[in-house]
């Protein structure tokens, strides 16, 4: 906000809401664009062809956003390392276009729920740019680590995405609920959700420095979540928050070492940030018992 570009940020309640807003905005943009290109098709014909993508490792909220948006979301196979790459997306988009479907959005994950895998944003961005598909990144958990210089690799490619969310109520110590969302072009969201009434008019309308957040979200009214973010940041400071994230990572490193040194257990996936996925060696039944 306050710069000359159309980008902007908004605090949503949860990652689920941020993903839903991105999915709905991308859907409406696609409908408008496609209607211009194909005036011979009715709006319902166009809506019936829309299709979205994510990985089979993505959080359940992605699939839920598809259900609410009435747009099928294909959960593409991640690689053996549980990472979604451009190759898989390209194949799916090409098949769908061939069959007359309209690709709308791909939701990638930085820090999957299962193993904290990071989808390959660079290769996904290339495919999305080639096919005019919105790229959203759900970094609900891992996004907090964007604050660390040693995790700069995590941010690779995010300058190419259309929107991104991460949860301050995870790594950033802010009380639930609080999910930060960025949009490369906020107008796309505002244009999709702008429904006006006489009683909603005010004198600051249309001023980009004073965004009207009712157009950026599902509810009309808003909670003052920025207050608790401000208090947390002022109390702990940037360094305090970084120290907190680093502590999580170092605890996970210690735990990973304990697992590696113990003959009874093995790692299932490489440690990522504060997450160590491990299991007892042997039959899956033993894992189920341990979990129980
Ligand atoms: N995305 C990822 C990667 C998650 O790990 C989670 C929750 O753990 C979510 C989304 C859902 O978050 P929220 O409860 O904020 O909707």
């Amino acid at each position: 906000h306050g710069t000359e570009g159309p980008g902007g940020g908004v605090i949503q309640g949860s990652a689920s809401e941020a993903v839903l807003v991105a999915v709905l905005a991308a859907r409406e943009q696609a409908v408008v664009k496609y209607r211009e290109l194909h005036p011979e098709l009715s709006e319902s014909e166009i809506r019936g062809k829309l299709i979205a993508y994510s990985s089979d490792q993505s959080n359940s909220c992605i699939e839920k956003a598809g259900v609410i948006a009435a747009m099928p979301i294909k959960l593409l196979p991640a690689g053996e390392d549980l990472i979604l790459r451009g190759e898989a997306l390209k194949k799916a988009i090409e098949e769908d276009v061939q069959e007359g479907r309209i690709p709308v959005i791909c939701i990638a994950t930085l820090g999957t729920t299962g193993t904290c895998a990071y989808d390959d944003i660079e290769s996904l961005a290339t495919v999305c740019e080639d096919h005019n598909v919105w790229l959203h990144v759900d970094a609900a958990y891992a996004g907090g680590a964007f604050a660390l210089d040693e995790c700069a690799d995590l941010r690779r490619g995010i300058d190419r995405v259309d929107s991104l969310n991460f949860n301050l109520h995870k790594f950033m110590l802010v009380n639930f609920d609080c999910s930060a969302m960025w949009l490369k072009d906020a107008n796309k969201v505002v244009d999709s959700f702008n429904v006006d009434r006489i009683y909603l008019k005010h004198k600051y309308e249309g001023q980009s420095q004073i965004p009207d957040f009712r157009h950026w979200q599902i509810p009309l009214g808003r909670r003052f979540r920025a207050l608790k973010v401000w208090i947390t940041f002022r109390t702990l400071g940037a360094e305090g928050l970084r120290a907190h994230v680093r502590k999580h990572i170092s605890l996970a490193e210690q735990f990973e070492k304990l697992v590696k040194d113990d003959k009874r257990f093995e790692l299932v996936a490489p440690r990522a940030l504060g997450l160590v996925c491990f299991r007892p060696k042997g039959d899956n039944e033993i894992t189920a018992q341990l979990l129980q």
Side-chain angles (χ1 to χ4, degrees), residues 64-108:
K64 195 185 210 173
V67 173
I68 299 173
M71 179 165 64
I73 298 203
K74 274 195 182 167
L75 299 180
L76 305 174
E80 278 196 3
D81 49 8
L82 307 175
I83 293 171
L84 180 67
R85 295 193 168 74
E87 223 173 292
L89 178 64
K90 185 169 185 277
K91 185 167 174 282
I93 289 182
E94 284 174 358
E95 279 170 16
D96 282 330
V97 170
Q98 194 79 38
E99 287 168 26
R101 284 188 272 270
I102 306 169
V104 172
I105 181 171
C106 172
I107 302 108

Side-chain angles (χ1 to χ4, degrees), residues 13-17 59 61 109 111-113 138 140-141 167 169-170 176:
S14 63
S16 308
E17 284 168 67
N59 187 263
C61 73
T109 312
T112 57
T113 309
D138 172 21
Y141 166 68
N167 283 356
H169 64 240
K170 287 199 163 116
F176 187 83

Side-chain angles (χ1 to χ4, degrees), residues 13-35:
S14 63
S16 308
E17 284 168 67
V19 168
L20 178 60
V21 165
V23 166
L24 293 174
R27 186 192 70 182
E28 292 315 294
Q29 292 292 306
V31 170
V32 170
K33 208 172 359 171
Y34 218 75
R35 285 201 83 180

